[in-house]
Amino acid sequence: HHLEQLTKDMLRFVKGETTELENVVISDLLAELQQVIEPQLAARQLQLIVRDQSQKASLMINHQAICGAMINLLENAMQASNPGGRIILTGTHEENSIILSVCDNGLGIDIALQERLFEPFFTTKPTGRGTGLGLSTIYGFAQQSGGHVTLYSEVGKGTRFTLRLPRSTLST
């Protein structure tokens, strides 16, 4: 139910509906994501490594929407990973940005498919397992927030999605 509510709130945000901005401390966000996703990771025999390099930076943003976006990326990483795999969740900051990334050592994504991944309704998952809306929603969320999402992947080596949000929305 928690994940469903996060997704609904994220979709409302992307549609431009009124959202409540909150001061989200990146360290707290990473801890929350870890707590939510670890039971699923354990069930799939996957390891989560959290690298918090945010130095107590915070962001004025819709809490539910950012959680929903990151959980979606973490779930995609889980689905692409084999038992014993590793997923790395990182939060950092630069002078002008907050950077959140999810990196896995899973299957990787063929370069021919990478260009289409952010298109609505495009999915690489088997029929009935994906809507093709997850990454397009994250793309919309990033754009709506004044940021962007990028992808780096090598077949057989893994994938990294990076969400970069502008520092102009930082509260401190």
Side-chain angles (χ1 to χ4, degrees):
H1 294 289
H2 177 67
L3 294 176
E4 183 178 332
Q5 185 61 43
L6 288 174
T7 303
K8 287 179 183 177
D9 289 340
M10 186 171 58
L11 288 171
R12 265 196 297 277
F13 180 85
V14 170
K15 290 178 188 175
E17 296 176 11
T18 303
T19 59
E20 184 178 322
L21 299 181
E22 301 174 48
N23 185 43
V24 176
V25 177
I26 302 307
S27 294
D28 294 345
L29 173 66
L30 296 175
E32 179 180 357
L33 293 169
Q34 181 176 10
Q35 182 179 10
V36 168
I37 209 74
E38 273 197 330
Q40 295 174 57
L41 289 164
R44 294 176 183 241
Q45 301 173 350
L46 298 170
Q47 177 188 14
L48 178 67
I49 298 168
V50 178
R51 294 183 178 155
D52 181 5
Q53 301 159 346
S54 64
Q55 300 176 337
K56 300 185 182 183
S58 62
L59 186 62
M60 286 302 291
I61 201 159
N62 180 283
H63 178 263
Q64 298 274 329
I66 188 96
C67 280
M70 295 307 297
I71 287 171
N72 190 309
L73 291 176
L74 287 163
E75 287 177 339
N76 286 350
M78 285 189 317
Q79 292 168 4
S81 298
N82 293 317
R86 180 185 70 198
I87 297 171
I88 302 170
L89 171 63
T90 305
T92 62
H93 72 99
E94 293 177 351
E95 184 177 343
N96 297 318
S97 304
I98 288 288
I99 302 116
L100 299 167
S101 69
V102 174
C103 182
D104 65 63
N105 62 349
L107 304 173
I109 303 165
D110 186 271
I111 195 142
L113 298 176
Q114 290 181 29
E115 295 178 14
R116 298 197 57 205
L117 282 182
F118 296 108
E119 293 177 15
F121 305 108
F122 178 78
T123 184
T124 60
K125 296 177 184 169
T127 304
R129 300 228 33 219
T131 62
L133 291 174
L135 291 175
S136 65
T137 301
I138 293 167
Y139 181 84
F141 164 74
Q143 295 292 310
Q144 187 84 10
S145 300
H148 61 275
V149 61
T150 56
L151 154 72
Y152 175 79
S153 186
E154 286 187 54
V155 174
K157 293 187 178 181
T159 301
R160 180 179 62 242
F161 281 92
T162 302
L163 180 61
R164 182 178 296 264
L165 300 168
R167 191 167 179 87
S168 62
T169 58
L170 286 176
S171 64
T172 55

